[in-house]
């Protein structure tokens, strides 16, 4: 079975591709190696894929290319049974600077994939959506009935993309599922995210920097839980046509998260506070009943367990990962 993973050199797509290769599937990764953060992290991920294939997994092919290139997308989708569409211009704050690019990559890029999948027929189209589609919470935890009023161009682009996926499911019978991820973290995570940043700074005796007063809350989801939800969709059709939350259900104040990491790594450091960014969500918290009901999704890692696992991984990989985090 051939699985096309777009954005497969990135954090989440990288873990998906690694798992699919390890499970013996033939994997094609399409990624344009966007320099949003240090490219050596992506190159390391591609090396891990190649090693996993060489260790007796399925086959692996890396294609450097852009989801905005409709001809290339047509060709690759035509060779695939499953599409896991993870490629996106990520990042809430930078989307405020360049909304047009978010539209081109996240919306037009997704449409290229959907058109190709509709024309050639695939077993399933699974795409990464985001908690950013909800915007300001009217109530928490967010369930999928919560209004979707994104407050950033990034959130607007993810909402448009997932609505297209669900509409294609309705109109063209394309089996499509959108997973709304809630701040995913774990090994090889993007360096410009709170957990990698806090850990890296504390490891180097520098205080964690918090934007705002630190009372904003986040539902951090460990990467393994995200991978399991995606793997389940290889065989489970119960969520076709649906968008659903994939979170941890365990939310934490950013200040508490920073304190926990600081206490484990450098207890003498004082936290530093800087001005909050307007586009940042104040609170996120996932209700995961729908994913549990439809695909048996059950998050396995509390934030404390996941952070400890990440710190262990960081220590083991410090030599190559830390310089890349600090240069990003
Ligand atoms: P990432 O930036 O690590 O991965 C995205 C990958 O897509 C990168 O490797 C990048 O090079 C590639 N890419 C970007 N533009 C491309 C293009 N035009 N053509 C081909 N490839 C392109 O981000 P991630 O954290 O792994 O996120 C994966 C997906 O999950 C994204 O769709 C993102 O919007 C979504 N998501 C992530 C989180 C999170 O917390 N990490 C939360 C919610 C949603």
């Amino acid at each position: 079975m051939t699985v096309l993973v777009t954005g497969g050199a990135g954090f989440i797509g990288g873990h998906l591709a690694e798992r699919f290769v390890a499970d013996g599937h033939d994997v094609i990764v399409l990624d344009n190696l966007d320099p949003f953060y240090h490219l050596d992290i992506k190159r390391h991920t591609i090396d891990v894929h190649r090693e996993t294939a060489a260790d007796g997994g399925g086959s692996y092919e890396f294609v450097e290319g852009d989801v905005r290139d409709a001809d290339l997308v047509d060709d690759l989708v035509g060779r695939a049974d499953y599409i896991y569409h993870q490629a996106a211009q990520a990042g809430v704050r930078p989307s405020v600077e360049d909304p047009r690019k978010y539209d081109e990559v996240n919306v037009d890029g997704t449409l290229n994939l959907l058109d190709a999948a509709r024309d050639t027929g695939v077993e399933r189209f699974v795409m990464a959506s985001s908690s950013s589609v909800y915007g300001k919470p009217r109530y928490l935890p967010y369930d999928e009935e919560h209004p979707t009023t994104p407050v950033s161009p990034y959130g607007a682009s993810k909402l448009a993309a997932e609505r297209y996926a669900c509409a294609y499911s309705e109109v063209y019978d394309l089996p499509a599922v959108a997973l709304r991820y809630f701040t995913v973290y774990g090994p090889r995570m993007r360096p410009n995210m709170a957990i990698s940043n806090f850990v890296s700074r504390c490891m180097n005796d520098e205080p964690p920097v918090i934007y705002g007063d630190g009372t904003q809350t986040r539902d951090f989801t460990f990467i393994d839980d995200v991978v399991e939800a995606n793997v389940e969709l290889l065989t489970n059709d119960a969520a076709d046509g649906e968008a659903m939350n994939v979170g941890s259900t365990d939310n934490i104040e950013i200040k508490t998260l920073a304190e926990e990491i600081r206490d484990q790594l450098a207890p003498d450091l004082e936290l530093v506070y800087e001005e909050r960014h307007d586009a940042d969500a104040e609170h996120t918290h996932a209700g995961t009943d729908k994913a549990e009901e439809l695909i048996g999704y059950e998050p396995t890692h509390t934030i404390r367990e996941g952070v400890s696992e990440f710190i262990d991984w960081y220590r083991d990989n410090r030599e190559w990962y830390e310089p890349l985090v600090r240069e990003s």
Side-chain angles (χ1 to χ4, degrees):
M1 168 158 41
T2 302
V3 185
L4 171 64
V5 183
T6 72
F11 168 49
I12 298 174
H15 281 275
L16 292 180
E18 182 182 350
R19 171 67 178 269
F20 291 140
V21 175
D23 286 351
H25 302 303
D26 299 317
V27 171
I28 306 170
V29 158
L30 170 64
D31 196 300
N32 72 345
L33 299 181
D34 183 90
F36 181 54
Y37 56 86
H38 207 300
L39 286 183
D40 283 353
I41 298 183
K42 300 183 186 191
R43 294 195 184 103
H44 179 95
T45 296
I46 296 166
D47 287 345
V48 169
H49 296 159
R50 293 194 168 123
E51 283 158 24
T52 308
D55 282 350
S59 68
Y60 178 72
E61 179 183 345
F62 176 73
V63 178
E64 185 172 343
D66 202 301
V67 292
R68 289 169 289 184
D69 178 345
D71 290 339
L72 175 64
V73 164
D74 267 353
D75 175 45
L76 297 179
V77 169
R79 294 168 50 201
D81 303 303
Y82 287 84
I83 315 295
Y84 281 82
H85 175 38
Q86 311 296 306
Q89 192 63 47
V92 168
R93 289 174 206 160
S95 76
V96 178
E97 306 299 321
D98 191 2
R100 179 75 58 183
K101 182 169 186 200
Y102 283 72
D103 186 66
E104 288 166 4
V105 175
N106 298 356
V107 186
D108 289 346
T110 301
L111 272 172
N112 284 340
L113 284 146
L114 286 168
D115 281 340
R118 175 199 59 192
D119 293 345
T120 59
V122 292
E123 296 289 328
R124 187 153 295 106
F125 181 98
V126 182
M127 66 156 287
S129 185
S130 166
S131 59
S132 305
V133 302
Y134 291 115
K136 289 197 171 74
R138 306 238 175 118
Y139 57 85
L140 288 170
Y142 294 115
D143 57 27
E144 291 80 358
E145 304 303 314
H146 187 284
T148 44
T149 48
V151 290
S152 67
Y154 168 73
S157 72
K158 297 303 285 186
L159 181 60
E162 69 148 66
R163 288 301 94 204
Y164 273 120
C166 293
Y168 271 51
S169 186
E170 183 71 29
V171 187
Y172 306 116
D173 278 337
L174 176 72
V177 181
L179 299 180
R180 293 176 177 165
Y181 299 151
F182 282 67
T183 323
V184 187
Y185 71 102
R188 302 197 300 260
M189 70 188 291
R190 282 171 16 212
N192 47 2
M193 297 185 78
I195 292 179
S196 47
N197 193 278
F198 291 167
V199 169
S200 171
R201 289 185 66 85
C202 290
M203 286 271 195
N204 288 281
D205 264 335
E206 296 165 8
V209 179
I210 292 169
Y211 296 99
D213 64 4
T215 57
Q216 54 283 42
T217 56
R218 287 285 174 284
D219 191 309
F220 288 100
T221 316
F222 196 63
I223 183 68
D224 291 5
D225 291 328
V226 169
V227 169
E228 285 310 321
N230 280 282
V231 167
E232 173 68 20
L233 291 170
L234 284 174
T235 50
N236 192 329
D237 64 4
D240 285 351
E242 300 290 336
M244 59 194 180
N245 297 339
V246 170
S248 71
T249 72
D250 177 28
N251 72 338
I252 186 170
E253 280 192 353
I254 292 290
K255 189 171 54 163
T256 311
L257 172 72
E259 283 166 353
E260 294 252 344
I261 293 173
R262 186 266 321 265
D263 292 349
Q264 282 196 48
L265 297 175
D268 295 336
L269 289 176
E270 294 287 335
L271 307 186
V272 170
Y273 293 86
E274 288 187 4
E275 203 178 323
R276 179 175 175 267
H277 294 264
D278 283 347
D280 285 346
E282 190 64 29
H283 301 287
T284 68
H285 189 187
T288 57
D289 288 355
K290 183 171 177 181
E292 186 183 347
E293 209 172 288
L294 291 177
I295 62 165
Y297 173 72
E298 257 184 84
T300 56
H301 286 68
T302 64
I303 179 74
R304 283 161 191 86
E305 290 163 346
V307 164
S308 289
E309 224 171 285
F310 177 70
I311 290 174
D312 289 346
W313 176 86
Y314 188 105
R315 286 200 168 102
D316 290 346
N317 291 271
R318 190 170 181 181
E319 204 175 321
W320 72 269
Y321 182 67
E322 184 170 272
L324 307 181
V325 174
R326 298 183 71 76
E327 276 175 42
S328 292

